[in-house]
Amino acid sequence: MAVTLEQAQRVGYTCLKALLRFAFMVANNLVAIPSYVLYLIMLQPLRILDSKSFWYIEGVLFKWLLAMVASWGWWAGYTVVEWGDDVKAVSEDEAMVLVNHQATGDVCTLMMCLQDKGTVVRQMMWLMDHIFKYTNFGIVSLIHGDFFIRQGRTHRDQQLVLLKDHLENYYRSRNRKWIVLFPEGGFLRKRRETSQAFAKKNNLPFLKHVTLPRLGATQVILKTLVAPQENGTPSGGDAVRKEGKSKGLQWVIDTTIAYPKGEPIDIQTWILGYRQPTVTHVHYRIFPVKDVPAEPEALTNWLYQRFIEKEDLLTHFYETGAFPPPQGQTKAISREMTLSNLWLVGIQSLAFLSGGMWYCLFQYLYHCLF
């Protein structure tokens, strides 16, 4: 089939736009990430004198970095519509966020849609595959205190011990509030066949849009972060705060990401922007942690039930283009998530100004010394 002039122009424009976006992303990383590291090196005396203020500043810088990532998708027209419970209501409480995992773009989507949720982004901890440590953003996550988990049966027990130690050492000492994990343990396309075979063998539901979750990390987080029991009930939810003490993990936020036609956005698309503007849909359900069972078998069943519900949510979404209404209601209400372009431009400008400042400083020091 012959290519028309209009088609050739469209392809050429898409390629040029992708090249310019990639160049901007590289420049953005070259100034923003080193600036983040250098600011925190300069602030090490503050870390010794006032650790709380140091981690507050680090959290603000971390949120700005995630906003820069969000801006790449936002300016490409990759927006988010939210459904279900309003998580802003619990943004100041401690929460564990369980998310289905389809592609690398899931993390970028969360970086975007959590930007307007108060202090959440600067006070959150991520659990991610250890390979992420070796990406350009790995040094930022290491400093921030995220946990890199190594997948595979041979590493599982050791990784859970390391996760427990990590939470005890870094979660509350750095005033973290939300912890985000992907319990499926990998991308849908990679785990679906194995999960379906396991389900068939153990007489469990056949799932197409999600996989059966793994228990380990969820159980460790609940055991480590839920406050000690009082009167037989975990002191989460509406428990009274003790003076000077954390209320502990109070909520589990079941988060379901859905892409139109089941076509997820990957990180390459997010960066290059060659896909047409796309609306990603994110559904939230909030559960008080006191309603989550602690015993392994009961917790496994509870976690499986959440992902069976995700399957139903996604099936309804792919059939109708919308999530179903909450139980007892006749209509589902959606909320369009928005970001301020002025704010994003301001953050990007600050990053490039910081990069210029550090460059001039090092040039000055070099000439002074040599």
Side-chain angles (χ1 to χ4, degrees):
M1 183 188 299
V3 178
T4 66
L5 178 60
E6 182 180 353
Q7 289 173 326
Q9 289 175 333
R10 189 180 303 118
V11 171
Y13 171 74
T14 301
C15 292
L16 177 61
K17 183 177 72 171
L19 182 62
L20 292 174
R21 284 176 58 89
F22 181 74
F24 175 78
M25 183 276 295
V26 171
N28 198 183
N29 276 267
L30 287 176
V31 296
I33 293 176
S35 293
Y36 166 88
V37 174
L38 290 168
Y39 277 129
L40 295 181
I41 290 174
M42 295 292 290
L43 288 171
Q44 286 305 303
L46 178 63
R47 182 177 181 179
I48 297 170
L49 297 171
D50 187 353
S51 177
K52 184 176 180 180
S53 295
F54 173 86
W55 289 114
Y56 175 88
I57 295 170
E58 185 279 332
V60 172
L61 295 175
F62 184 78
K63 178 176 180 177
W64 289 355
L65 284 178
L66 266 59
M68 292 177 203
V69 176
S71 72
W72 305 340
W74 181 258
W75 289 333
Y78 304 147
T79 57
V80 172
V81 166
E82 298 177 308
W83 303 74
D85 295 333
D86 184 2
V87 296
K88 288 182 181 180
V90 299
S91 62
E92 296 301 318
D93 298 332
E94 290 189 26
M96 175 173 63
V97 184
L98 307 176
V99 193
N100 62 314
H101 209 9
Q102 301 176 67
T104 48
D106 296 342
V107 174
C108 300
T109 296
L110 290 172
M111 287 180 177
M112 175 187 286
C113 65
L114 295 179
Q115 282 291 324
D116 67 343
K117 307 298 187 295
T119 62
V120 163
V121 174
R122 67 176 177 84
Q123 292 183 288
M124 72 195 315
M125 178 181 286
W126 298 75
L127 263 65
M128 58 193 76
D129 192 279
H130 79 287
I131 199 68
F132 193 78
K133 185 189 300 184
Y134 307 105
T135 67
N136 60 315
F137 209 78
I139 183 65
V140 174
S141 290
L142 277 169
I143 294 172
H144 184 69
D146 296 328
F147 184 76
F148 301 96
I149 192 163
R150 186 181 292 272
Q151 303 293 342
R153 187 174 300 175
T154 56
H155 305 288
R156 191 168 300 159
D157 292 340
Q158 180 193 32
Q159 291 298 297
L160 295 179
V161 172
L162 291 174
L163 173 60
K164 181 177 185 297
D165 292 342
H166 187 86
L167 293 173
E168 290 175 344
N169 291 330
Y170 299 116
Y171 190 80
R172 293 207 171 91
S173 67
R174 299 186 181 186
N175 196 28
R176 301 296 174 240
K177 290 290 185 68
W178 283 25
I179 183 165
V180 180
L181 68 154
F182 300 91
E184 291 165 295
F187 299 138
L188 174 64
R189 68 179 186 277
K190 293 183 177 180
R191 290 210 61 243
R192 178 160 40 199
E193 187 175 336
T194 303
S195 176
Q196 289 174 345
F198 177 83
K200 184 177 180 180
K201 182 178 178 181
N202 292 275
N203 197 29
L204 294 167
F206 183 86
L207 307 176
K208 296 189 298 181
H209 306 307
V210 294
T211 66
L212 290 170
R214 293 170 176 174
L215 176 67
T218 304
Q219 187 176 32
V220 168
I221 291 168
L222 290 171
K223 280 187 175 181
T224 308
L225 299 184
V226 172
Q229 292 194 350
E230 299 174 359
N231 300 323
T233 304
S235 57
D238 55 0
V240 177
R241 181 187 296 271
K242 286 190 173 182
E243 186 68 27
K245 289 187 178 181
S246 167
K247 292 168 71 174
L249 197 71
Q250 296 166 265
W251 312 99
V252 175
I253 303 174
D254 185 31
T255 304
T256 305
I257 299 176
Y259 299 94
K261 300 179 182 179
E263 299 173 353
I265 299 176
D266 55 29
I267 187 65
Q268 297 93 330
T269 306
W270 194 270
I271 291 169
L272 299 177
Y274 51 77
R275 182 166 165 176
Q276 290 298 310
T278 302
V279 178
T280 302
H281 297 257
V282 181
H283 184 280
Y284 305 104
R285 283 193 70 195
I286 301 174
F287 296 88
V289 77
K290 60 185 176 62
D291 293 343
V292 180
E295 293 301 317
E297 184 175 351
L299 179 59
T300 299
N301 292 332
W302 185 90
L303 199 56
Y304 280 177
Q305 188 58 40
R306 302 290 73 76
F307 277 76
I308 292 168
E309 290 171 359
K310 285 180 184 291
E311 176 78 10
D312 294 338
L313 286 170
L314 290 168
T315 298
H316 189 280
F317 177 84
Y318 294 140
E319 289 175 354
T320 67
F323 283 113
Q327 189 173 7
Q329 299 183 24
T330 58
K331 186 178 180 181
I333 305 235
S334 63
R335 305 173 296 276
E336 187 175 345
M337 185 262 161
T338 60
L339 289 175
S340 166
N341 286 312
L342 182 62
W343 180 60
L344 294 176
V345 169
I347 291 173
Q348 294 284 6
S349 299
L350 180 61
F352 283 99
L353 287 171
S354 295
M357 179 195 73
W358 290 115
Y359 176 78
C360 293
L361 178 60
F362 283 118
Q363 284 286 93
Y364 173 76
L365 291 175
Y366 177 82
H367 288 300
C368 288
L369 294 173
F370 303 101

